[in-house]
Amino acid sequence: MYLKEALTIALRSMRAARLRTALTALGIVIGIASVIVLLALGNGMRDGFSSAFGDLSRVITISKATPTTSDVARTKFMREGDVTALRNKRLAPHIESVTPLRSGSAVVRFGTNEFTATVNGTTPDFLQVRNDRIVAGRMFTEQENQEKARVVVISPKIVTYLFEDDVEKALGSEITIGRIPFRVVGVLAPAGDDQDHFAPVPINTSRAIFGGLDTLNGIGVVATSADQVPAAIQEIYQIMDAQHEVDGGPDFRDYTLSATLDQVQKLNRYVTLLNWLTLTIGGIALFVGTLGVANIMMVTVTQRTKEIGIRKAIGARRSAILKQFLIESVVIAGLGGVVGAALGVLFTVVGGRFIEPLIPEISTPWVSGLSVVAVFGISLLIGLVAGTYPARRAAQLNPIDAIRF
């Protein structure tokens, strides 16, 4: 039997049992649509993760620590000179930026309203080190830092207490930190209740608040890439050991390093695991659809036993019967794959419009053309696998026994 004739017979059989064909394909439709939607959500989650933590994986924090030996007398404060040394590209080629941090509590006032905030003397790179962003206004500039401009960026909690959540009123207003007036130039994005009390100011300006000292509470370092974090750590150790005259080994260091790369990689593994779990659910749906196709094809073979016997009695070969039922199974699964892929893309596009406003941490889900082609190929494979046994059973029927059935 030619392929075209086998296809014609299969399509005629499917038209004769439209409801059965539709219900059989429904399992494939649901499975394929589920897989496409889950793949799209996984793409959105990975994009959101990269957007939220991509730069954070390059951050290394230097903070003060007490040496583990008894030689505490040699402990030194971190100073702005350490920042200058770390910015030496010849000694630290794998370091992209270095951000000083001088912090302390101070009362922030506007009119009769006041709030005790954590004032951070820092540089514009502060946003990158903290993985933070501005939602209104701007960050102060390096020029303002050099000019010791009295400008400040405030967090949402300060806006709440001083300006009753009126961001527009806050921008451009003059507030006092301690007794020193500062102009509000920007508002930070919300970062959690315990992180919404910061007020970054230029580090050169902060000397007026903290008594002119050049000591630091910490230093934020950003490596040139996530792959270069280990190299950057070694460069930091070499420079800081020389700056702090550490000559007795790690136990004598009066500072400590903390790299976020390990935490980011651990979170990335969790995201990957979650994606695999969701895909497993979609795979189970496809497996159920495969069983449905196989079951219906077995029923079809049983119902058409006499027809198979007559066709074999008048000369139809086993290969012709095999092709007929295999083609029918593949066409059913293929139709289910096409409809499922279309619904999956539609659900992704429509759902993406609601997900982004509701869950900003997840980027807009998107479907790649390769994934659509892949799942359609899987649907055809399902039809082939599910129809193989019923088709072989039909091809092996004895014509006389089949006619008597």
Side-chain angles (χ1 to χ4, degrees):
M1 177 186 291
Y2 293 106
L3 185 62
K4 183 179 180 181
E5 185 180 353
L7 179 61
T8 302
I9 295 174
L11 291 175
R12 188 180 300 134
S13 172
M14 291 167 58
R15 283 198 301 269
R18 293 184 181 88
L19 181 60
R20 183 188 65 194
T21 301
L23 292 177
T24 304
L26 183 61
I28 304 298
V29 170
I30 294 172
I32 294 296
S34 299
V35 169
I36 287 182
V37 170
L38 293 172
L39 283 172
L41 285 173
N43 291 336
M45 288 176 62
R46 280 193 297 272
D47 289 350
F49 182 85
S50 298
S51 176
F53 300 105
D55 287 338
L56 194 61
S57 63
R58 300 188 289 142
V59 175
I60 306 163
T61 304
I62 310 173
S63 53
K64 189 177 183 299
T66 303
T68 56
T69 66
S70 59
D71 191 11
V72 181
R74 298 181 60 184
T75 301
K76 293 185 176 182
F77 288 102
M78 285 185 291
R79 299 183 180 276
E80 292 183 30
D82 296 332
V83 175
T84 302
L86 289 167
R87 286 174 175 168
N88 188 330
K89 291 297 182 181
R90 183 178 60 84
L91 299 177
H94 298 103
I95 291 178
E96 181 178 298
S97 65
V98 183
T99 305
L101 179 64
R102 179 185 297 120
S103 62
S105 296
V107 177
V108 183
R109 295 183 178 87
F110 177 75
T112 58
N113 299 328
E114 63 179 43
F115 179 76
T116 301
T118 299
V119 180
N120 304 111
T122 185
T123 59
D125 294 329
F126 177 78
L127 294 178
Q128 184 180 18
V129 171
R130 279 187 49 83
N131 195 41
D132 214 334
R133 60 188 177 89
I134 300 290
V135 294
R138 61 176 177 83
M139 186 64 174
F140 55 80
T141 64
E142 182 57 34
Q143 182 177 351
E144 288 172 326
N145 180 39
Q146 295 300 326
E147 295 174 352
K148 300 181 181 179
R150 293 182 176 179
V151 292
V152 62
V153 177
I154 58 178
S155 63
K157 186 174 287 188
I158 299 176
V159 176
T160 299
Y161 279 86
L162 266 57
F163 301 99
E164 298 177 346
D165 288 324
D166 191 339
V167 174
E168 293 184 3
K169 181 180 179 181
L171 289 177
S173 296
E174 186 176 278
I175 64 174
T176 58
I177 301 178
R179 296 183 178 181
I180 304 172
F182 282 80
R183 179 169 55 89
V184 178
V185 296
V187 176
L188 294 170
D193 195 50
D194 59 338
Q195 301 290 323
D196 280 345
H197 52 80
F198 292 109
V201 301
I203 190 164
N204 291 336
T205 310
S206 69
R207 295 192 185 98
I209 303 172
F210 299 114
L213 299 176
D214 70 342
T215 57
L216 302 174
N217 298 89
I219 301 173
V221 177
V222 178
T224 53
S225 69
D227 295 336
Q228 299 300 334
V229 167
I233 289 175
Q234 292 305 313
E235 292 165 1
I236 293 171
Y237 277 135
Q238 292 175 4
I239 294 171
M240 291 295 289
D241 284 353
Q243 287 289 116
H244 289 233
E245 300 178 348
V246 177
D247 54 10
D251 291 343
F252 288 82
R253 287 176 177 146
D254 52 7
Y255 64 92
T256 183
L257 302 187
S258 175
T260 57
L261 180 62
D262 291 339
Q263 290 87 341
V264 171
Q265 288 177 337
K266 186 178 293 184
L267 285 173
N268 192 29
R269 286 194 291 269
Y270 287 144
V271 171
T272 302
L273 177 61
L274 182 61
N275 287 338
W276 278 110
L277 287 175
T278 55
L279 281 177
T280 300
I281 295 173
I284 292 173
L286 282 177
F287 178 71
V288 172
T290 304
L291 293 180
V293 173
N295 180 56
I296 293 300
M297 291 307 299
M298 287 292 295
V299 172
T300 301
V301 170
T302 302
Q303 290 178 341
R304 295 164 62 186
T305 300
K306 184 171 290 189
E307 173 194 331
I308 295 169
I310 294 172
R311 289 191 55 206
K312 294 188 74 175
I314 61 177
R317 296 180 179 180
R318 287 188 176 185
S319 59
I321 303 297
L322 185 69
K323 285 180 184 178
Q324 175 189 340
F325 286 94
L326 273 180
I327 289 174
E328 186 172 338
S329 176
V330 170
V331 170
I332 291 174
L335 289 174
V338 170
V339 176
L343 288 177
V345 172
L346 178 63
F347 291 154
T348 299
V349 173
V350 174
R353 296 180 180 178
F354 296 95
I355 289 178
E356 192 169 11
L358 294 175
I359 314 175
E361 294 80 7
I362 298 180
S363 296
T364 304
W366 56 276
V367 181
S368 67
L370 181 61
S371 64
V372 174
V373 173
V375 294
F376 177 69
I378 290 173
S379 70
L380 296 179
L381 182 62
I382 287 173
L384 186 64
V385 172
T388 298
Y389 176 74
R392 287 185 61 189
R393 182 181 175 186
Q396 292 172 355
L397 285 174
N398 184 287
I400 296 177
D401 292 337
I403 293 173
R404 290 175 177 175
F405 182 79

